[in-house]
Amino acid sequence: MQSLDFLSRRQLMAALAGSAALAALPSRVFAQQPLPPLIKLVVGYSAGGPVDGAARLLAPALGQELGTQVIVDNRPGAAGSLGGNAVAKAPPDGAMLFFGASPTITINPNVQRSMPFDPMKDLTPLAPLVDYTNVLVVNNDLPVRNVGELLAYAKAKPGKLFYGSAGVGASNHLSGALLEKMSGVQLTHVPYKGSAPALADVMAGTVPMMFDIIATSRPFIQSGKLRALAVTSRQRNRMLPDVPTMIESGVPGYDVGGWFGLYGPARMDPALVARVNAAAQKMLAREDIAHRLREQGYEVWAGAPEVLATKGVSDRKLWASASKGIEAE
């Protein structure tokens, strides 16, 4: 595999060159660029999860801005890699786009033994969409009220404190691995086939803790079924304003989040890239869409294709360190 430094330079140069080329194109070219009558928005996870939920919220609005129909096409497996691979192998005509979750783009290349495609080479970044923060939640019976008490509990019982995740190499797995490295505690990871069953087992007490997307944990925190200890972003989250950050809680430098972005196959026509990006930015500027995203715990993340490309490269480097020694099947 090529080095990440090389990938960074190549990806950023390509993105900037593409951006300049797009800026030089007249607006009428965007309108003339043909679109297929039906666009499949591929989601690499099962229906009902947080990635699917966000995609189903945005797909109709994206279709409205593009003037065509956009439907969600779930292709779960390998932490999103099967869906991403389907788009990478598709014709670059816009008929199949990828609703990429950040772990598929930035974590999978570091932990999957035989990933079927390279997100940096085989996909075209089209538009950033949303970003999100995770929250550390625990079962109500766990005798801790904050991160300091949790770490003291873990140090007193090395390897006896279990945490669930969506699977080996998932972002909530590596969030736990990063906590171990930054705090010196020893935890035991319990992988599940998705975040939903892991979260259910935290509430049931089968495993005592996990990191989860705020969008899915917030209702259970508010109803008292889960206890929130800290959010993983540098600032507090507006949806959980009373929950401190990991940094506030005594873990300096702990700043981890995730995002969703829109991708197409490699070698997409620059005018088509520009048209899709313009539609995505118009969609995200709509107050009804922004409000619904915020209600689910997400933040609007709009920008040019190179914004998504740059973030993908930088986060891939971040997770390369956190995932050292971890290998997913």
Side-chain angles (χ1 to χ4, degrees):
M1 182 178 293
Q2 299 175 0
S3 72
L4 287 177
D5 287 340
F6 175 79
L7 283 172
S8 176
R9 290 194 297 272
R10 181 179 60 78
Q11 185 76 4
L12 291 178
M13 288 175 66
L16 291 172
S19 178
L22 295 179
L25 291 172
S27 59
R28 65 177 181 275
V29 173
F30 300 165
Q32 293 170 355
Q33 181 66 27
L35 284 172
L38 176 67
I39 294 176
K40 291 183 178 180
L41 185 60
V42 175
V43 173
Y45 296 85
S46 300
V51 184
D52 175 76
R56 290 183 186 278
L57 188 161
L58 294 177
L62 181 62
Q64 290 170 5
E65 300 300 339
L66 287 171
T68 191
Q69 185 179 11
V70 179
I71 63 169
V72 172
D73 181 2
N74 296 92
R75 302 197 183 197
S81 287
L82 295 187
N85 187 53
V87 174
K89 301 296 191 291
D93 58 2
M96 185 177 286
L97 304 178
F98 185 46
F99 192 83
S102 53
T104 305
I105 307 299
T106 64
I107 295 177
N108 289 7
N110 292 310
V111 302
Q112 290 189 355
R113 185 182 306 169
S114 55
M115 190 168 176
F117 74 104
D118 186 338
M120 302 300 173
K121 295 190 297 183
D122 301 330
L123 295 175
T124 297
L126 300 177
L129 296 173
V130 300
D131 61 21
Y132 62 85
T133 298
N134 285 334
V135 58
L136 174 57
V137 293
V138 301
N139 179 272
N140 285 324
D141 291 333
L142 191 68
V144 301
R145 294 285 172 178
N146 53 56
V147 172
E149 291 180 1
L150 178 77
L151 296 180
Y153 184 90
K155 288 178 180 177
K157 301 175 182 291
K160 299 293 180 65
L161 184 58
F162 296 81
Y163 71 99
S165 82
V168 175
S171 62
N172 47 8
H173 171 204
L174 296 188
S175 293
L178 188 62
L179 178 60
E180 288 185 89
K181 291 184 178 183
M182 297 183 76
S183 66
V185 301
Q186 182 182 347
L187 307 173
T188 297
H189 174 231
V190 182
Y192 287 77
K193 292 182 179 180
S195 289
L199 193 64
D201 270 5
V202 174
M203 286 187 281
T206 306
V207 292
M209 60 177 277
M210 73 176 289
F211 290 86
D212 187 45
I213 294 176
I214 287 177
T216 50
S217 279
R218 181 171 167 249
F220 302 113
I221 295 168
Q222 293 178 324
S223 67
K225 294 180 179 179
L226 288 171
R227 181 182 303 141
L229 299 189
V231 295
T232 61
S233 53
R234 186 167 294 274
Q235 290 84 31
R236 293 195 182 197
N237 186 273
R238 73 173 77 195
M239 304 308 294
L240 296 172
D242 296 328
V243 178
T245 66
M246 293 289 289
I247 296 172
E248 287 180 282
S249 301
V251 188
Y254 196 104
D255 180 16
V256 176
W259 42 266
F260 303 146
L262 189 63
Y263 295 83
R267 299 176 299 280
M268 284 185 69
D269 186 285
L272 181 56
V273 173
R275 182 170 180 183
V276 174
N277 179 270
Q281 295 212 51
K282 285 182 65 178
M283 168 186 70
L284 295 173
R286 287 168 43 178
E287 183 53 37
D288 62 321
I289 295 298
H291 176 74
R292 291 177 67 189
L293 287 171
R294 288 193 295 265
E295 283 295 302
Q296 292 192 18
Y298 298 118
E299 295 292 339
V300 169
W301 181 40
E306 65 264 28
V307 173
L308 182 59
T310 301
K311 184 64 172 172
V313 171
S314 64
D315 279 11
R316 184 165 166 175
K317 288 184 176 181
L318 167 69
W319 291 121
S321 173
S323 64
K324 189 175 182 180
I326 295 172
E327 186 174 276
E329 294 298 327

